[in-house]
Amino acid sequence: MQASLKDYLLLHLIVLIWGFTAILGVLISLPAFELVFYRTLIASIGVALLFTWKKKNILIPPHQMWKVLGTGVLIALHWILFFWSARVSTVSVCLAGMATTSLWTAFVEPFFNKAKIKWYEVALGLLVISGLLVIFKFETGYWLGLSMALASAFLAACFSVINGRLTKRHDPYQITFYEMTGACLAILLFMPVYSVWLTDGAGIQWTWQGMDWFWLLVLGGVCTVYAFSVSVDLMKRLTVFSINLTINLEPVYGIVLAVLIFGEKEKMTPEFYLGTLIILVSVLIYPVLNYWNKRRKAVRTLG
């Protein structure tokens, strides 16, 4: 099935929503671990209610169920690192690190699909890295947050490729339900270890404060159930790499939103924005190179 203009516009809407998730991670008072638990719990319940309302079958074969639940563990780790990164640095630094998802995908996707690595995907990924080097050089105080974001981006590439294969067998909302359930269960099972060793004796923070309940509903409903399910559905028509490369716009959307919401706290050095601009250029170049490569192959086939 060919992608349409509507698909690309919808993809940009999803990326804009995801750009807002890092901001929610700062607005919500809960630590990253508890935040992701509530996010995945709300998302699981939301999708289950949706299936009940539509009277659709939510079950998938057991041997496939375990694969989808396992993918949810990767997603849980990805989100924990993502929100943690925003907390120890800034929203802008977190989102800049997430832009390396395309670089990781350039290597991960061929590995999973047993295909050749495309030279221009690697080149664009290296262009993203050059942008990050510019950021690293002038924003050394945020190395921990940026490192967490890079690890989160690698996990995002992994589960995106896996989801690209799962969409060929299952409904996007089925995938969302089992992945969110898998993520929620994984966090529950790890909570005893987290409580004792990773909270500095403070224990698990369950209590919501102020507007936490509202922002959690936005995070679980709009940013997860809707955005995640639509992104999985788009994988039926768009390549994983093109999706993840467009997701590089997430820092651009997110940084603009963060500056508008948090003001001076989110304003960075000119070099930071130069590095982000380099990342943006890679997004704009990809469609041109992809079109050129397909046309070259078509001419070679006809010849």
Side-chain angles (χ1 to χ4, degrees):
M1 188 182 295
Q2 290 293 323
S4 64
L5 176 61
K6 180 182 176 182
D7 289 326
Y8 285 104
L9 291 175
L10 192 56
L11 177 60
H12 280 273
L13 173 62
I14 297 305
V15 174
L16 177 63
I17 291 172
W18 281 338
F20 190 63
T21 58
I23 294 171
L24 290 175
V26 175
L27 290 174
I28 298 170
S29 65
L30 294 170
F33 193 85
E34 290 90 326
L35 173 58
V36 176
F37 169 74
Y38 278 119
R39 179 182 188 175
T40 54
L41 178 63
I42 291 170
S44 301
I45 295 172
V47 178
L49 291 174
L50 185 64
F51 269 87
T52 302
W53 177 60
K54 290 188 175 182
K55 297 180 180 179
K56 294 179 64 177
N57 183 23
I58 202 171
L59 297 177
I60 61 176
H63 68 284
Q64 289 294 323
M65 185 186 300
W66 290 110
K67 293 180 182 178
V68 188
L69 288 171
T71 306
V73 178
L74 294 180
I75 294 170
L77 290 172
H78 155 69
W79 279 340
I80 290 170
L81 288 170
F82 175 79
F83 289 120
W84 206 344
S85 170
R87 294 285 179 86
V88 301
S89 56
T90 68
V91 172
S92 300
V93 170
C94 170
L95 293 174
M98 283 302 301
T100 59
T101 302
S102 59
L103 173 64
W104 297 120
T105 307
F107 292 99
V108 172
E109 187 173 19
F111 175 79
F112 273 87
N113 297 331
K114 298 179 181 179
K116 291 183 179 179
I117 296 174
K118 297 174 183 176
W119 68 268
Y120 61 88
E121 292 185 354
V122 176
L124 290 176
L126 292 174
L127 185 62
V128 171
I129 287 295
S130 69
L132 285 172
L133 289 175
V134 172
I135 295 171
F136 251 130
K137 184 177 180 180
F138 294 95
E139 301 290 350
T140 54
Y142 298 117
W143 68 269
L144 177 60
L146 193 51
S147 298
M148 288 180 175
L150 292 173
S152 180
F154 171 74
L155 292 171
C158 290
F159 75 71
S160 294
V161 173
I162 294 171
N163 280 345
R165 303 178 73 175
L166 291 174
T167 54
K168 298 175 182 177
R169 298 183 179 182
H170 309 295
D171 178 88
Y173 284 93
Q174 285 180 318
I175 295 172
T176 301
F177 172 75
Y178 286 104
E179 287 183 345
M180 294 303 100
T181 301
C184 188
L185 290 175
I187 292 173
L188 271 176
L189 291 173
F190 191 72
M191 273 187 178
V193 176
Y194 168 75
S195 178
V196 174
W197 299 102
L198 299 174
T199 62
D200 295 325
I204 299 172
Q205 183 179 327
W206 296 110
T207 308
W208 302 349
Q209 298 178 17
M211 292 290 290
D212 281 356
W213 65 272
F214 174 75
W215 296 125
L216 281 168
L217 288 176
V218 173
L219 183 62
V222 179
C223 300
T224 309
V225 175
Y226 173 73
F228 195 84
S229 299
V230 171
S231 70
V232 172
D233 182 59
L234 286 173
M235 288 178 183
K236 294 178 179 178
R237 299 177 294 281
L238 303 173
T239 66
V240 174
F241 185 82
S242 65
I243 289 175
N244 280 336
L245 199 62
T246 305
I247 289 173
N248 287 338
L249 285 171
E250 185 178 336
V252 179
Y253 295 148
I255 288 167
V256 171
L257 289 171
V259 171
L260 290 174
I261 294 172
F262 297 119
E264 291 294 328
K265 180 184 175 182
E266 282 294 330
K267 289 185 178 179
M268 312 296 287
T269 63
E271 289 79 13
F272 174 86
Y273 297 109
L274 173 61
T276 304
L277 178 62
I278 293 172
I279 294 170
L280 175 61
V281 168
S282 72
V283 179
L284 301 176
I285 292 176
Y286 174 72
V288 178
L289 290 178
N290 196 39
Y291 172 78
W292 173 81
N293 187 57
K294 288 182 178 179
R295 186 172 181 179
R296 182 176 59 85
K297 287 184 177 180
V299 170
R300 183 182 297 176
T301 303
L302 292 173

